[in-house]
Amino acid sequence: MDWLSRLFEMMPVRGRLDLRCSYSVPWRIDQGPGATNEIPYHAVLAGSAILDDPAGGRPLLLKTGDILLLPGNPRHVMHDGSGATPLPARNRAAQNFTISENLGSDERLDLLCGHFAIAPPHDRLLRTYLPPRLVVHAGPRMGKGTAARLAGLVSLMRSETADDHLGGRAMLDALSTAMFALVLRLASETDDRSHGLLALVGDPRLAPAVAAMFNQPARAWSLPELARLCNMSRATLARQFQDKLGRSPSDLLTDIRMTLAANELKRSSLSTGAVAEMVGYQSEAAFQRAFKSHMGVTPAQWRKVQHSGEDVLAAPSTPADPNGSSPAAHE
């Protein structure tokens, strides 16, 4: 199984479309942060938008075909760039989603806004390995490959929001979920991979080590073994991981193991010792220490909390309100 499919198997993701925005200049969106386990997304169907950098850096221009993910889940502001007081926006409920619009007549921004919900605690792990801001381009004339597939998927979402067909809610959520996978695939194929897991798997020299750890996490991988898979020295492999991921191969392997262990403790009645062996620990005591260090609780405490029945993904999403309620506020 490839690393991305394995990642989604380990960390279930549920997509949801919250809004379709139709704005004439001047407009402004002030959104976030969402729920702690959410990653917001915006897909520009037509027009352009400027995203202010929450850290005070240079603003980012988003164009037609751009898809923005914000794994850091920050409060963020998007606007038309005019600096003028935005026209008032209003929300109206369609059958399967919410439409936010203003009454201007100039060239309009057409924007899909939604979020991806990741089951805790995997949301924290995913944010660790993704950049705080991720943009890919999937315009209408992308030829073949992943970008074309992503453009086709967004076009289908656009049609579903235009026609509001029977079953549209289920379709839009399923398409949003698929969008997440395609965005990560496309990002791993592009040249702009400065840091994080996508930078790691995007390097063909390092990808074999990542795939090996995802597919055989219980194996006692050593640095020399992983280096041989990549046809490089141990020192080079360790340096490449540190440069691109900010962590060692051992750190990544531990994160994968703890994710699998958390899943197994939640869904099965296997003993802690059996789970420890399943994810590659010969000593239950060593597993207990690693799990508590990673999760902040013991395996037994984690299992007890999970069996209480609480499910963050089941929490209903609140539609945006033009006066500033979550997940999106429009001023």
Side-chain angles (χ1 to χ4, degrees), residues 68-113:
L68 166 71
L69 270 60
L70 293 165
N73 191 15
R75 176 184 176 272
H76 55 283
V77 175
M78 300 171 68
H79 53 86
D80 62 276
S82 68
T85 301
L87 295 169
R90 66 182 182 90
N91 287 4
R92 59 183 175 91
Q95 180 169 293
N96 291 304
F97 58 96
T98 299
I99 298 171
S100 182
E101 58 192 354
N102 63 25
L103 299 179
S105 59
D106 294 341
E107 181 180 348
R108 303 183 72 83
L109 170 75
D110 195 357
L111 184 73
L112 298 179
C113 302

mmCIF file of all heavy atoms in Angstrom, residues 68-113:
data_model
loop_
_atom_site.group_PDB
_atom_site.id
_atom_site.type_symbol
_atom_site.label_atom_id
_atom_site.label_comp_id
_atom_site.label_asym_id
_atom_site.label_seq_id
_atom_site.Cartn_x
_atom_site.Cartn_y
_atom_site.Cartn_z
ATOM 1 N N LEU A 68 -6.617 26.176 -1.227
ATOM 2 C CA LEU A 68 -5.852 26.519 -0.040
ATOM 3 C C LEU A 68 -6.276 25.640 1.124
ATOM 4 O O LEU A 68 -7.467 25.511 1.420
ATOM 5 C CB LEU A 68 -6.088 27.987 0.317
ATOM 6 C CG LEU A 68 -5.644 28.458 1.701
ATOM 7 C CD1 LEU A 68 -4.116 28.514 1.786
ATOM 8 C CD2 LEU A 68 -6.243 29.827 2.031
ATOM 9 N N LEU A 69 -5.298 25.015 1.794
ATOM 10 C CA LEU A 69 -5.511 24.309 3.049
ATOM 11 C C LEU A 69 -4.739 25.034 4.140
ATOM 12 O O LEU A 69 -3.614 25.501 3.896
ATOM 13 C CB LEU A 69 -5.017 22.859 2.974
ATOM 14 C CG LEU A 69 -5.986 21.763 2.506
ATOM 15 C CD1 LEU A 69 -6.485 22.034 1.102
ATOM 16 C CD2 LEU A 69 -5.315 20.408 2.606
ATOM 17 N N LEU A 70 -5.328 25.106 5.325
ATOM 18 C CA LEU A 70 -4.680 25.754 6.464
ATOM 19 C C LEU A 70 -4.584 24.754 7.618
ATOM 20 O O LEU A 70 -5.390 24.792 8.555
ATOM 21 C CB LEU A 70 -5.461 27.000 6.879
ATOM 22 C CG LEU A 70 -5.452 28.137 5.842
ATOM 23 C CD1 LEU A 70 -6.536 29.154 6.154
ATOM 24 C CD2 LEU A 70 -4.084 28.804 5.785
ATOM 25 N N PRO A 71 -3.609 23.834 7.562
ATOM 26 C CA PRO A 71 -3.487 22.813 8.606
ATOM 27 C C PRO A 71 -3.312 23.385 10.008
ATOM 28 O O PRO A 71 -3.670 22.737 10.992
ATOM 29 C CB PRO A 71 -2.258 22.011 8.168
ATOM 30 C CG PRO A 71 -2.235 22.162 6.684
ATOM 31 C CD PRO A 71 -2.673 23.576 6.439
ATOM 32 N N GLY A 72 -2.755 24.605 10.103
ATOM 33 C CA GLY A 72 -2.607 25.222 11.410
ATOM 34 C C GLY A 72 -3.905 25.704 12.015
ATOM 35 O O GLY A 72 -3.949 26.062 13.190
ATOM 36 N N ASN A 73 -4.992 25.728 11.217
ATOM 37 C CA ASN A 73 -6.324 26.114 11.676
ATOM 38 C C ASN A 73 -6.317 27.481 12.364
ATOM 39 O O ASN A 73 -6.867 27.645 13.452
ATOM 40 C CB ASN A 73 -6.886 25.038 12.616
ATOM 41 C CG ASN A 73 -8.375 25.236 12.912
ATOM 42 O OD1 ASN A 73 -9.062 25.975 12.231
ATOM 43 N ND2 ASN A 73 -8.856 24.581 13.946
ATOM 44 N N PRO A 74 -5.695 28.501 11.734
ATOM 45 C CA PRO A 74 -5.625 29.804 12.402
ATOM 46 C C PRO A 74 -6.857 30.654 12.101
ATOM 47 O O PRO A 74 -7.641 30.356 11.197
ATOM 48 C CB PRO A 74 -4.400 30.434 11.734
ATOM 49 C CG PRO A 74 -4.494 29.927 10.314
ATOM 50 C CD PRO A 74 -5.029 28.515 10.426
ATOM 51 N N ARG A 75 -7.024 31.718 12.846
ATOM 52 C CA ARG A 75 -7.923 32.780 12.399
ATOM 53 C C ARG A 75 -7.260 33.390 11.168
ATOM 54 O O ARG A 75 -6.059 33.680 11.168
ATOM 55 C CB ARG A 75 -8.082 33.840 13.482
ATOM 56 C CG ARG A 75 -8.931 35.041 13.029
ATOM 57 C CD ARG A 75 -8.996 36.119 14.107
ATOM 58 N NE ARG A 75 -9.726 37.281 13.619
ATOM 59 C CZ ARG A 75 -9.183 38.299 12.950
ATOM 60 N NH1 ARG A 75 -7.873 38.294 12.697
ATOM 61 N NH2 ARG A 75 -9.921 39.311 12.530
ATOM 62 N N HIS A 76 -8.016 33.576 10.098
ATOM 63 C CA HIS A 76 -7.428 34.097 8.879
ATOM 64 C C HIS A 76 -8.401 35.031 8.172
ATOM 65 O O HIS A 76 -9.614 34.903 8.301
ATOM 66 C CB HIS A 76 -6.982 32.976 7.936
ATOM 67 C CG HIS A 76 -8.054 32.002 7.594
ATOM 68 N ND1 HIS A 76 -8.476 31.005 8.459
ATOM 69 C CD2 HIS A 76 -8.808 31.853 6.479
ATOM 70 C CE1 HIS A 76 -9.425 30.295 7.891
ATOM 71 N NE2 HIS A 76 -9.650 30.787 6.690
ATOM 72 N N VAL A 77 -7.827 35.966 7.429
ATOM 73 C CA VAL A 77 -8.604 36.996 6.734
ATOM 74 C C VAL A 77 -8.309 36.925 5.246
ATOM 75 O O VAL A 77 -7.149 36.886 4.828
ATOM 76 C CB VAL A 77 -8.264 38.396 7.280
ATOM 77 C CG1 VAL A 77 -8.979 39.474 6.463
ATOM 78 C CG2 VAL A 77 -8.640 38.505 8.752
ATOM 79 N N MET A 78 -9.387 36.901 4.443
ATOM 80 C CA MET A 78 -9.273 36.972 2.988
ATOM 81 C C MET A 78 -10.081 38.175 2.521
ATOM 82 O O MET A 78 -11.132 38.490 3.094
ATOM 83 C CB MET A 78 -9.810 35.682 2.347
ATOM 84 C CG MET A 78 -9.077 34.433 2.787
ATOM 85 S SD MET A 78 -9.879 32.904 2.220
ATOM 86 C CE MET A 78 -9.616 33.032 0.447
ATOM 87 N N HIS A 79 -9.608 38.843 1.466
ATOM 88 C CA HIS A 79 -10.300 40.036 0.986
ATOM 89 C C HIS A 79 -9.950 40.270 -0.476
ATOM 90 O O HIS A 79 -9.119 39.555 -1.068
ATOM 91 C CB HIS A 79 -9.936 41.253 1.840
ATOM 92 C CG HIS A 79 -8.457 41.491 1.968
ATOM 93 N ND1 HIS A 79 -7.733 42.203 1.046
ATOM 94 C CD2 HIS A 79 -7.567 41.084 2.911
ATOM 95 C CE1 HIS A 79 -6.467 42.255 1.416
ATOM 96 N NE2 HIS A 79 -6.336 41.565 2.542
ATOM 97 N N ASP A 80 -10.575 41.285 -1.063
ATOM 98 C CA ASP A 80 -10.370 41.559 -2.495
ATOM 99 C C ASP A 80 -9.152 42.431 -2.752
ATOM 100 O O ASP A 80 -8.719 42.569 -3.906
ATOM 101 C CB ASP A 80 -11.609 42.245 -3.076
ATOM 102 C CG ASP A 80 -11.871 43.590 -2.422
ATOM 103 O OD1 ASP A 80 -12.513 43.603 -1.349
ATOM 104 O OD2 ASP A 80 -11.419 44.612 -2.948
ATOM 105 N N GLY A 81 -8.586 43.044 -1.726
ATOM 106 C CA GLY A 81 -7.379 43.843 -1.894
ATOM 107 C C GLY A 81 -7.611 45.312 -2.142
ATOM 108 O O GLY A 81 -6.651 46.084 -2.230
ATOM 109 N N SER A 82 -8.857 45.732 -2.229
ATOM 110 C CA SER A 82 -9.141 47.134 -2.521
ATOM 111 C C SER A 82 -8.954 48.038 -1.316
ATOM 112 O O SER A 82 -8.722 49.242 -1.459
ATOM 113 C CB SER A 82 -10.578 47.275 -3.031
ATOM 114 O OG SER A 82 -11.516 46.984 -1.994
ATOM 115 N N GLY A 83 -9.088 47.483 -0.131
ATOM 116 C CA GLY A 83 -9.012 48.298 1.074
ATOM 117 C C GLY A 83 -10.296 49.028 1.400
ATOM 118 O O GLY A 83 -10.377 49.705 2.427
ATOM 119 N N ALA A 84 -11.306 48.890 0.550
ATOM 120 C CA ALA A 84 -12.583 49.570 0.766
ATOM 121 C C ALA A 84 -13.427 48.814 1.792
ATOM 122 O O ALA A 84 -13.229 47.616 2.021
ATOM 123 C CB ALA A 84 -13.346 49.694 -0.557
ATOM 124 N N THR A 85 -14.370 49.515 2.384
ATOM 125 C CA THR A 85 -15.283 48.884 3.323
ATOM 126 C C THR A 85 -16.097 47.818 2.595
ATOM 127 O O THR A 85 -16.718 48.101 1.567
ATOM 128 C CB THR A 85 -16.241 49.921 3.932
ATOM 129 O OG1 THR A 85 -15.471 50.922 4.602
ATOM 130 C CG2 THR A 85 -17.195 49.266 4.918
ATOM 131 N N PRO A 86 -16.088 46.578 3.081
ATOM 132 C CA PRO A 86 -16.765 45.502 2.343
ATOM 133 C C PRO A 86 -18.273 45.690 2.311
ATOM 134 O O PRO A 86 -18.878 46.229 3.243
ATOM 135 C CB PRO A 86 -16.387 44.246 3.128
ATOM 136 C CG PRO A 86 -16.036 44.726 4.492
ATOM 137 C CD PRO A 86 -15.435 46.082 4.312
ATOM 138 N N LEU A 87 -18.859 45.258 1.204
ATOM 139 C CA LEU A 87 -20.314 45.240 1.105
ATOM 140 C C LEU A 87 -20.868 44.222 2.101
ATOM 141 O O LEU A 87 -20.257 43.185 2.328
ATOM 142 C CB LEU A 87 -20.744 44.847 -0.313
ATOM 143 C CG LEU A 87 -20.377 45.828 -1.435
ATOM 144 C CD1 LEU A 87 -20.628 45.185 -2.798
ATOM 145 C CD2 LEU A 87 -21.168 47.118 -1.292
ATOM 146 N N PRO A 88 -22.016 44.497 2.688
ATOM 147 C CA PRO A 88 -22.591 43.520 3.617
ATOM 148 C C PRO A 88 -22.968 42.228 2.905
ATOM 149 O O PRO A 88 -23.484 42.250 1.784
ATOM 150 C CB PRO A 88 -23.824 44.247 4.171
ATOM 151 C CG PRO A 88 -24.138 45.304 3.166
ATOM 152 C CD PRO A 88 -22.837 45.711 2.555
ATOM 153 N N ALA A 89 -22.660 41.110 3.556
ATOM 154 C CA ALA A 89 -22.984 39.793 3.000
ATOM 155 C C ALA A 89 -24.123 39.179 3.800
ATOM 156 O O ALA A 89 -24.297 39.468 4.984
ATOM 157 C CB ALA A 89 -21.761 38.887 3.043
ATOM 158 N N ARG A 90 -24.882 38.343 3.130
ATOM 159 C CA ARG A 90 -25.962 37.633 3.823
ATOM 160 C C ARG A 90 -25.877 36.161 3.469
ATOM 161 O O ARG A 90 -25.380 35.781 2.406
ATOM 162 C CB ARG A 90 -27.327 38.199 3.435
ATOM 163 C CG ARG A 90 -27.699 37.976 1.967
ATOM 164 C CD ARG A 90 -29.045 38.595 1.630
ATOM 165 N NE ARG A 90 -29.425 38.333 0.245
ATOM 166 C CZ ARG A 90 -30.131 37.275 -0.142
ATOM 167 N NH1 ARG A 90 -30.521 36.392 0.769
ATOM 168 N NH2 ARG A 90 -30.449 37.098 -1.402
ATOM 169 N N ASN A 91 -26.360 35.333 4.360
ATOM 170 C CA ASN A 91 -26.400 33.887 4.142
ATOM 171 C C ASN A 91 -27.820 33.448 3.842
ATOM 172 O O ASN A 91 -28.777 33.963 4.427
ATOM 173 C CB ASN A 91 -25.920 33.137 5.382
ATOM 174 C CG ASN A 91 -24.426 33.247 5.595
ATOM 175 O OD1 ASN A 91 -23.736 33.951 4.858
ATOM 176 N ND2 ASN A 91 -23.914 32.588 6.611
ATOM 177 N N ARG A 92 -27.923 32.514 2.940
ATOM 178 C CA ARG A 92 -29.218 31.880 2.703
ATOM 179 C C ARG A 92 -28.997 30.374 2.579
ATOM 180 O O ARG A 92 -28.006 29.919 2.006
ATOM 181 C CB ARG A 92 -29.923 32.446 1.477
ATOM 182 C CG ARG A 92 -29.178 32.322 0.171
ATOM 183 C CD ARG A 92 -29.970 33.004 -0.964
ATOM 184 N NE ARG A 92 -29.235 33.014 -2.209
ATOM 185 C CZ ARG A 92 -29.314 32.053 -3.127
ATOM 186 N NH1 ARG A 92 -30.099 30.990 -2.921
ATOM 187 N NH2 ARG A 92 -28.618 32.134 -4.253
ATOM 188 N N ALA A 93 -29.908 29.629 3.129
ATOM 189 C CA ALA A 93 -29.763 28.180 3.176
ATOM 190 C C ALA A 93 -30.295 27.542 1.905
ATOM 191 O O ALA A 93 -31.450 27.763 1.526
ATOM 192 C CB ALA A 93 -30.485 27.618 4.387
ATOM 193 N N ALA A 94 -29.438 26.768 1.230
ATOM 194 C CA ALA A 94 -29.902 25.891 0.165
ATOM 195 C C ALA A 94 -30.273 24.554 0.812
ATOM 196 O O ALA A 94 -30.190 24.391 2.027
ATOM 197 C CB ALA A 94 -28.812 25.713 -0.883
ATOM 198 N N GLN A 95 -30.670 23.610 0.006
ATOM 199 C CA GLN A 95 -31.110 22.335 0.568
ATOM 200 C C GLN A 95 -29.974 21.589 1.258
ATOM 201 O O GLN A 95 -30.168 20.967 2.305
ATOM 202 C CB GLN A 95 -31.705 21.463 -0.537
ATOM 203 C CG GLN A 95 -32.203 20.102 -0.062
ATOM 204 C CD GLN A 95 -33.009 19.394 -1.131
ATOM 205 O OE1 GLN A 95 -34.090 19.819 -1.508
ATOM 206 N NE2 GLN A 95 -32.463 18.304 -1.640
ATOM 207 N N ASN A 96 -28.766 21.675 0.672
ATOM 208 C CA ASN A 96 -27.664 20.853 1.162
ATOM 209 C C ASN A 96 -26.431 21.637 1.597
ATOM 210 O O ASN A 96 -25.420 21.034 1.958
ATOM 211 C CB ASN A 96 -27.252 19.845 0.079
ATOM 212 C CG ASN A 96 -28.325 18.793 -0.155
ATOM 213 O OD1 ASN A 96 -28.732 18.119 0.783
ATOM 214 N ND2 ASN A 96 -28.783 18.666 -1.383
ATOM 215 N N PHE A 97 -26.476 22.959 1.563
ATOM 216 C CA PHE A 97 -25.330 23.772 1.943
ATOM 217 C C PHE A 97 -25.824 25.195 2.160
ATOM 218 O O PHE A 97 -27.022 25.482 2.025
ATOM 219 C CB PHE A 97 -24.230 23.724 0.873
ATOM 220 C CG PHE A 97 -24.687 24.172 -0.485
ATOM 221 C CD1 PHE A 97 -24.481 25.476 -0.902
ATOM 222 C CD2 PHE A 97 -25.336 23.297 -1.339
ATOM 223 C CE1 PHE A 97 -24.924 25.896 -2.151
ATOM 224 C CE2 PHE A 97 -25.772 23.704 -2.592
ATOM 225 C CZ PHE A 97 -25.566 25.012 -2.997
ATOM 226 N N THR A 98 -24.903 26.098 2.471
ATOM 227 C CA THR A 98 -25.243 27.500 2.705
ATOM 228 C C THR A 98 -24.576 28.369 1.652
ATOM 229 O O THR A 98 -23.410 28.152 1.300
ATOM 230 C CB THR A 98 -24.784 27.932 4.112
ATOM 231 O OG1 THR A 98 -25.458 27.138 5.087
ATOM 232 C CG2 THR A 98 -25.099 29.392 4.366
ATOM 233 N N ILE A 99 -25.299 29.350 1.159
ATOM 234 C CA ILE A 99 -24.771 30.313 0.193
ATOM 235 C C ILE A 99 -24.571 31.648 0.910
ATOM 236 O O ILE A 99 -25.467 32.131 1.606
ATOM 237 C CB ILE A 99 -25.733 30.501 -0.997
ATOM 238 C CG1 ILE A 99 -25.894 29.186 -1.753
ATOM 239 C CG2 ILE A 99 -25.222 31.604 -1.926
ATOM 240 C CD1 ILE A 99 -26.981 29.217 -2.801
ATOM 241 N N SER A 100 -23.390 32.225 0.768
ATOM 242 C CA SER A 100 -23.109 33.548 1.303
ATOM 243 C C SER A 100 -22.853 34.473 0.121
ATOM 244 O O SER A 100 -22.056 34.150 -0.771
ATOM 245 C CB SER A 100 -21.891 33.506 2.233
ATOM 246 O OG SER A 100 -21.641 34.775 2.799
ATOM 247 N N GLU A 101 -23.526 35.641 0.098
ATOM 248 C CA GLU A 101 -23.430 36.510 -1.081
ATOM 249 C C GLU A 101 -23.641 37.965 -0.686
ATOM 250 O O GLU A 101 -24.217 38.279 0.369
ATOM 251 C CB GLU A 101 -24.468 36.093 -2.126
ATOM 252 C CG GLU A 101 -25.894 36.132 -1.618
ATOM 253 C CD GLU A 101 -26.882 35.456 -2.555
ATOM 254 O OE1 GLU A 101 -26.482 35.055 -3.654
ATOM 255 O OE2 GLU A 101 -28.065 35.342 -2.172
ATOM 256 N N ASN A 102 -23.133 38.855 -1.528
ATOM 257 C CA ASN A 102 -23.480 40.262 -1.407
ATOM 258 C C ASN A 102 -24.171 40.691 -2.698
ATOM 259 O O ASN A 102 -24.300 39.900 -3.646
ATOM 260 C CB ASN A 102 -22.256 41.128 -1.070
ATOM 261 C CG ASN A 102 -21.192 41.097 -2.157
ATOM 262 O OD1 ASN A 102 -21.468 40.836 -3.333
ATOM 263 N ND2 ASN A 102 -19.949 41.379 -1.767
ATOM 264 N N LEU A 103 -24.623 41.924 -2.750
ATOM 265 C CA LEU A 103 -25.508 42.351 -3.839
ATOM 266 C C LEU A 103 -24.814 43.188 -4.897
ATOM 267 O O LEU A 103 -25.470 43.820 -5.718
ATOM 268 C CB LEU A 103 -26.699 43.134 -3.254
ATOM 269 C CG LEU A 103 -27.584 42.328 -2.292
ATOM 270 C CD1 LEU A 103 -28.706 43.200 -1.750
ATOM 271 C CD2 LEU A 103 -28.137 41.094 -2.981
ATOM 272 N N GLY A 104 -23.486 43.237 -4.919
ATOM 273 C CA GLY A 104 -22.786 43.987 -5.945
ATOM 274 C C GLY A 104 -22.928 43.352 -7.314
ATOM 275 O O GLY A 104 -23.401 42.226 -7.460
ATOM 276 N N SER A 105 -22.497 44.074 -8.344
ATOM 277 C CA SER A 105 -22.646 43.572 -9.720
ATOM 278 C C SER A 105 -21.323 43.464 -10.467
ATOM 279 O O SER A 105 -21.309 43.111 -11.634
ATOM 280 C CB SER A 105 -23.592 44.491 -10.496
ATOM 281 O OG SER A 105 -23.084 45.819 -10.511
ATOM 282 N N ASP A 106 -20.193 43.795 -9.814
ATOM 283 C CA ASP A 106 -18.901 43.702 -10.489
ATOM 284 C C ASP A 106 -18.497 42.243 -10.659
ATOM 285 O O ASP A 106 -19.220 41.329 -10.274
ATOM 286 C CB ASP A 106 -17.829 44.441 -9.678
ATOM 287 C CG ASP A 106 -18.098 45.932 -9.627
ATOM 288 O OD1 ASP A 106 -18.854 46.413 -10.483
ATOM 289 O OD2 ASP A 106 -17.556 46.599 -8.722
ATOM 290 N N GLU A 107 -17.304 42.037 -11.245
ATOM 291 C CA GLU A 107 -16.769 40.682 -11.380
ATOM 292 C C GLU A 107 -16.727 40.029 -10.013
ATOM 293 O O GLU A 107 -16.200 40.583 -9.045
ATOM 294 C CB GLU A 107 -15.367 40.740 -11.984
ATOM 295 C CG GLU A 107 -14.743 39.371 -12.180
ATOM 296 C CD GLU A 107 -13.357 39.451 -12.789
ATOM 297 O OE1 GLU A 107 -12.983 40.535 -13.266
ATOM 298 O OE2 GLU A 107 -12.664 38.423 -12.770
ATOM 299 N N ARG A 108 -17.281 38.824 -9.922
ATOM 300 C CA ARG A 108 -17.517 38.237 -8.614
ATOM 301 C C ARG A 108 -16.493 37.154 -8.266
ATOM 302 O O ARG A 108 -15.979 36.463 -9.144
ATOM 303 C CB ARG A 108 -18.932 37.638 -8.552
ATOM 304 C CG ARG A 108 -20.024 38.648 -8.862
ATOM 305 C CD ARG A 108 -21.408 38.035 -8.715
ATOM 306 N NE ARG A 108 -21.773 37.796 -7.327
ATOM 307 C CZ ARG A 108 -22.280 38.731 -6.526
ATOM 308 N NH1 ARG A 108 -22.458 39.964 -6.958
ATOM 309 N NH2 ARG A 108 -22.606 38.439 -5.278
ATOM 310 N N LEU A 109 -16.250 37.060 -6.972
ATOM 311 C CA LEU A 109 -15.494 35.930 -6.446
ATOM 312 C C LEU A 109 -16.458 34.767 -6.254
ATOM 313 O O LEU A 109 -17.542 34.931 -5.690
ATOM 314 C CB LEU A 109 -14.871 36.282 -5.092
ATOM 315 C CG LEU A 109 -14.247 35.106 -4.321
ATOM 316 C CD1 LEU A 109 -12.915 34.717 -4.949
ATOM 317 C CD2 LEU A 109 -14.080 35.441 -2.845
ATOM 318 N N ASP A 110 -16.055 33.588 -6.731
ATOM 319 C CA ASP A 110 -16.833 32.364 -6.510
ATOM 320 C C ASP A 110 -15.928 31.418 -5.734
ATOM 321 O O ASP A 110 -14.872 31.002 -6.235
ATOM 322 C CB ASP A 110 -17.237 31.764 -7.861
ATOM 323 C CG ASP A 110 -18.331 30.711 -7.726
ATOM 324 O OD1 ASP A 110 -18.724 30.407 -6.584
ATOM 325 O OD2 ASP A 110 -18.790 30.205 -8.767
ATOM 326 N N LEU A 111 -16.335 31.066 -4.516
ATOM 327 C CA LEU A 111 -15.431 30.391 -3.593
ATOM 328 C C LEU A 111 -16.166 29.304 -2.822
ATOM 329 O O LEU A 111 -17.274 29.521 -2.333
ATOM 330 C CB LEU A 111 -14.868 31.421 -2.604
ATOM 331 C CG LEU A 111 -13.820 30.965 -1.588
ATOM 332 C CD1 LEU A 111 -12.476 30.733 -2.278
ATOM 333 C CD2 LEU A 111 -13.665 32.015 -0.487
ATOM 334 N N LEU A 112 -15.551 28.128 -2.743
ATOM 335 C CA LEU A 112 -16.050 27.059 -1.888
ATOM 336 C C LEU A 112 -15.252 27.068 -0.593
ATOM 337 O O LEU A 112 -14.014 27.076 -0.620
ATOM 338 C CB LEU A 112 -15.903 25.690 -2.557
ATOM 339 C CG LEU A 112 -16.672 25.465 -3.863
ATOM 340 C CD1 LEU A 112 -16.385 24.062 -4.396
ATOM 341 C CD2 LEU A 112 -18.169 25.667 -3.673
ATOM 342 N N CYS A 113 -15.945 27.062 0.540
ATOM 343 C CA CYS A 113 -15.287 27.057 1.849
ATOM 344 C C CYS A 113 -15.756 25.831 2.629
ATOM 345 O O CYS A 113 -16.960 25.573 2.713
ATOM 346 C CB CYS A 113 -15.641 28.315 2.652
ATOM 347 S SG CYS A 113 -15.206 29.866 1.847
#
